Amino acid sequence: MGNELSVPFFIRPDAWRRTLPKAVSYHHAQRCGVEVPNVHPVCHLDDARRRDNGQHVDVTGGWHDAGDLRKWMDATMMNALGLLRLARNLGEKWDLAGSGLKPLYEEVQWGNRYFLKMQDTDGRVWADTAGGVGGDNSDNHWTDNRSGTDDDRYINTGKPTMVQAMFVALQAMIAQAYDKTCLEAATRCWQANKRDSTGTRDLAWWTLAALEMYRTDAGAEYAAAAAELAGRLAGLQNTEFMAGQKQFRGFWRMRANSQDPYNDAVYSAIPGIALLEAAAEFPKHPDASRWRDAVKLHLEEYALPLAARTAYEIVPFGVFAGTPTQEMYRPLAGGLTYRYFMPTRRQNWWLGMTSHLECYAALLAMAARAFGKPAYRDLAYRQLEWVMGGNPFGACLMTGEGMRNPYPHSRYVGLIPGGILNGIAGNAKDEPILDTEYGFDWRTCEYWSPHNAWYLWAHSVLERA
Ligand SMILES: [Zn+2]
């Protein structure tokens, strides 16, 4: 096409399905606290000491989170959530080679031993191990595996709201899948938290948590809680036109009492996912049509028209009111602007858009089923195609698939087959950038586990018969 010659490729119905085992195997390679043959020797048996009082607590295990060795709870719980969505949606047939559900459950079980250790005695859950004191890279290193020595890493004993909600959702999903005893940890965490956050992302995860608790048959109270949370979440949508224009609406606000449109590099479509799940679980609830309508408005008057602005049909990172930072914000309508990629001058970290696009793929795939609209399904595939090579660089961002793969920022173990990179980011002019010259650029080329989780989640919906 044009001046481009692609590698030869197969056109076959299992083109995507056959990538799933590779994407799953990435998680195994990221195990911490054990030797992973051909990847790394036994590691971090001395995890970790509390940041607040220095006390040693056994939090060995879990998964390294990315191209580094840190163990954030939110990002690595996504691994387990992605694996369990795959198991739930495709069952035994997820792997065409017939390995069955056992390897999925064993992998989740491995991660969950660590997650359970991160639950404090008050029922609430800590934020991370080795995230880095002061948000830096200080804990990102191999250790001598002996606790009490200077190289021991730290536990961040902060208890962020989203981590609580994800923990409840995960334990409840495990209780449904293979281990009922996890319901106890879920219930303790649920009861220890108030769920009074006004943040859009928090409310979406709490809605999903309540739904998963309800599905464990833990009680009707969870049905009421899920409906109440979904109602609050739907209330955070911009149903009116803002910024002096009459074309685009239906995006979320960051939180109650904020006019900032919602955007997020990892959980960008989670509000719609939570509302669709609520509507599917309680189709006869008096508010179910309101939840469905909210998602439809979001897709029809926001996501689809914005995706139509480029031939690649990717959903932009977000819309903005005016020019919040000194860089390019593309004019949209009235005072509303948009960027395909994260702003680079808003905060010191910004990165590629893989999870954002895959998260939208998951929502669009779910919406295609819920509303019977094949166009949503097509658009879901556009987001995934961008990740796997349908992008201006012609580069596949999964190691071991496709062509022109950038070399990963994976400084401790090198290549991990099936690992997915942060992906294409934008510069200050909102032009796409990707390190294809071995520059070790973490923003575009680092592995990060949520990308594999969303990849599995989205495909598990698309591949469901
Ligand atoms: Zn480790």
Side-chain angles (χ1 to χ4, degrees), residues 198-201 236 252-256 258-264:
T198 63
T200 301
R201 196 176 66 173
L236 294 179
W252 269 262
R253 299 192 289 277
M254 287 301 279
R255 63 191 70 78
S258 164
Q259 285 306 309
D260 290 340
Y262 175 76
N263 56 57
D264 193 279

Side-chain angles (χ1 to χ4, degrees), residues 20-44:
L20 298 182
K22 203 175 284 173
V24 166
S25 74
Y26 162 87
H27 294 305
H28 189 82
Q30 288 284 39
R31 284 189 182 195
C32 179
V34 67
E35 180 194 2
V36 184
N38 303 318
V39 183
H40 65 70
V42 64
C43 63
H44 301 122

